[in-house]
């Protein structure tokens, strides 16, 4: 692997598992999966399925830190939202009719109709709200590539690497990473920037990505990515001090 110059700002080496990975930041996007009120707050889709939504809160501060750094560096930021058209024409009956939730997709709930585009519950949580010029991809499925413009967007911006975070680890994050991996993207999943309603599924979801030499991608903490994004000026300081 080619090593980045210590003063380079366009490349960085992330301390990831199963191996460190060098990334060209100009070809890297931050992909934030489904940080919507419907999954994160009481009364939404996640809770109607019987889940404890407080399990997901820990992912917010690491994502916020990465989002701040990405915005400051000019990195492409993409947010996704899972949800359906008001007439449910893009919602397969097999999804709508599944299980025994307290409210089904499309039913009226405390944050509007469950998992429907344009409703309050479908929106992204205030702490991570997209800026006007950031890309928001609406997706009907679990994977962010299925039936969306994501692939075209990434191609347009020359993206080769994805920093993937969001919820939930084993569902929409994993599905998106698998789709991205098959399309040739290097996916680095942010361990503390993902969460599951089931802590054991979070761990298993990360383990599956990085197993077998990184069969689907890499896993790193947000701090490791932030460190790699920060130019190392120690050489310049040392050189200046010796003059
Ligand atoms: C789920 C998601 N869990 N965003 N969606 O249904 O992971």
């Amino acid at each position: 692997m080619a090593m980045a110059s210590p003063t380079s700002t366009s490349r960085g080496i992330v301390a990831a598992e199963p191996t460190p990975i060098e990334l060209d930041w100009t070809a890297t996007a931050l992909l934030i999966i489904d940080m919507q009120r419907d999954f994160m707050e009481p009364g939404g889709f996640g809770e109607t399925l019987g889940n404890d939504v407080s399990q997901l809160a820990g992912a917010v501060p690491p994502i916020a830190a990465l989002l701040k750094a990405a915005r400051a560096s000019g990195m492409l930021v993409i947010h996704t939202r899972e949800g359906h058209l008001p007439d449910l024409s893009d919602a397969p009956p097999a999804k709508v009719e599944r299980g025994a939730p307290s409210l089904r997709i499309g039913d009226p709930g405390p944050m509007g109709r469950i998992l429907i585009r344009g409703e309050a519950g479908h929106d992204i949580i205030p702490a991570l709200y997209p800026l006007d010029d950031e890309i928001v991809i609406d997706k009907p499925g679990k994977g962010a590539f299925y039936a969306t413009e994501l692939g075209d967007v990434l191609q347009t911006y020359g993206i080769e690497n994805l920093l993937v975070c969001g919820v939930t680890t084993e569902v929409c994050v994993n599905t998106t990473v698998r789709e991205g991996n098959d399309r040739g993207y290097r996916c680095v999943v942010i361990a503390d920037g993902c969460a599951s309603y089931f802590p054991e599924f979070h761990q298993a979801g990360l383990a599956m990505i990085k197993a077998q030499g990184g069969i689907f991608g890499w896993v790193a903490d947000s701090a490791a990515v932030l460190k790699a994004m920060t130019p190392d000026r120690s050489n310049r300081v040392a050189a200046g001090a010796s003059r």
Side-chain angles (χ1 to χ4, degrees):
M1 179 167 52
M3 300 295 284
S5 141
T7 55
S8 165
T9 54
S10 69
R11 302 182 78 86
I13 299 174
V14 179
E17 291 183 304
T19 61
I21 177 168
E22 181 174 11
L23 299 177
D24 173 355
W25 302 119
T26 65
T28 301
L30 176 63
L31 181 60
I32 306 177
I33 303 289
D34 299 358
M35 292 301 287
Q36 296 162 252
R37 299 183 65 196
D38 252 323
F39 295 104
M40 303 295 298
E41 295 184 14
F45 180 61
E47 194 179 71
T48 71
L49 295 174
N51 297 308
D52 170 10
V53 294
S54 71
Q55 292 287 339
L56 306 187
V60 177
I63 299 175
L66 278 176
L67 184 55
K68 188 173 172 200
R71 285 171 175 166
S73 73
M75 182 184 288
L76 183 69
V77 174
I78 302 174
H79 306 257
T80 71
R81 299 184 296 203
E82 181 180 346
H84 297 282
L85 296 168
D87 66 2
L88 296 182
S89 57
D90 61 350
K95 180 176 182 182
V96 178
E97 293 162 5
R98 185 133 355 144
S102 57
L103 295 171
R104 290 194 187 277
I105 295 169
D107 285 350
M111 293 190 287
R113 293 178 67 202
I114 298 290
L115 219 60
I116 297 296
R117 295 181 192 174
E119 302 286 347
H122 180 261
D123 215 350
I124 291 173
I125 58 170
L128 302 174
Y129 209 76
L131 298 179
D132 284 346
D133 62 353
E134 286 173 353
I135 295 166
V136 179
I137 304 272
D138 281 318
K139 61 189 187 65
K142 305 304 183 193
F145 287 86
Y146 169 68
T148 74
E149 66 279 28
L150 178 59
D152 290 340
V153 168
L154 298 179
Q155 219 169 353
T156 299
Y157 284 88
I159 298 300
E160 299 168 6
N161 317 305
L162 297 171
L163 303 175
V164 188
C165 52
V167 295
T168 60
T169 315
E170 79 282 13
V171 183
C172 290
V173 171
N174 246 270
T175 306
T176 298
V177 166
R178 290 168 189 229
E179 289 180 327
N181 181 60
D182 277 351
R183 287 163 174 79
Y185 294 98
R186 297 179 198 92
C187 298
V188 180
V189 177
I190 313 302
D192 54 343
C194 297
S196 169
Y197 301 117
F198 308 92
E200 66 276 24
F201 288 177
H202 173 74
Q203 293 304 336
L206 297 178
M208 281 189 262
I209 288 160
K210 66 186 178 187
Q212 304 178 71
I215 194 117
F216 296 122
W218 290 257
V219 175
D221 280 327
S222 57
V225 175
L226 291 170
K227 185 158 185 259
M229 287 175 72
T230 307
D232 179 354
R233 302 192 186 281
S234 56
N235 278 10
R236 278 190 261 173
V237 172
S242 67
R243 266 188 219 124

